Amino acid sequence: MVTKEKKLEIIKKFGKGEKDSGTAEVQIAILTEHINGLTPHFSAHKKDHHSRTGLLKIVGKRRRLLDYLMKKDISRYRAVIEKLQIRK
């Protein structure tokens, strides 16, 4: 789970201001942090299919936000992908 402090740190890093939590970049960064926090759980709990379903929903939401950002502004999309190191 993403803590309140971590979320504020992400908003400062990716947002335009301290209260800017609505832009696509901030939302993608928060979802990425959440995904990175859940991923080690599945190496220890291989049969936790209920949580895996939630993870797949989060990944799909991030994918939709990335698609939206790619359609709107390709340079912002590339910057977010580079900062978060999503694509290799």
Side-chain angles (χ1 to χ4, degrees), residues 20-59:
D20 178 28
S21 62
T23 58
E25 293 94 337
V26 174
Q27 291 182 32
I28 291 167
I30 290 171
L31 289 173
T32 301
E33 185 66 30
H34 196 157
I35 290 167
N36 291 340
L38 283 175
T39 303
H41 170 79
F42 294 110
S43 61
H45 305 282
K46 296 187 188 326
K47 295 187 178 183
D48 188 1
H49 300 298
H50 187 72
S51 295
R52 191 175 306 274
T53 304
L55 174 69
L56 290 175
K57 286 182 180 184
I58 294 169
V59 170

Side-chain angles (χ1 to χ4, degrees), residues 1 3 5 7-9 11 14 18-19 23-25 33 35 44 49 51-52 54 57 60-61 71 75-76 79-80 85:
M1 200 65 197
T3 62
E5 294 81 24
K7 198 177 279 191
L8 288 173
E9 181 183 319
I11 290 171
F14 289 93
E18 294 207 7
K19 296 188 178 196
T23 58
E25 293 94 337
E33 185 66 30
I35 290 167
H49 300 298
S51 295
R52 191 175 306 274
K57 286 182 180 184
K61 186 172 186 175
K71 279 191 267 181
S75 62
R76 285 171 45 199
V80 167
Q85 299 174 347

Side-chain angles (χ1 to χ4, degrees), residues 59-68 70 77 87:
V59 170
K61 186 172 186 175
R62 182 179 72 175
R63 177 76 258 159
R64 287 190 302 274
L65 283 167
L66 283 167
D67 289 344
Y68 166 79
M70 187 169 54
Y77 169 79
R87 304 282 176 257

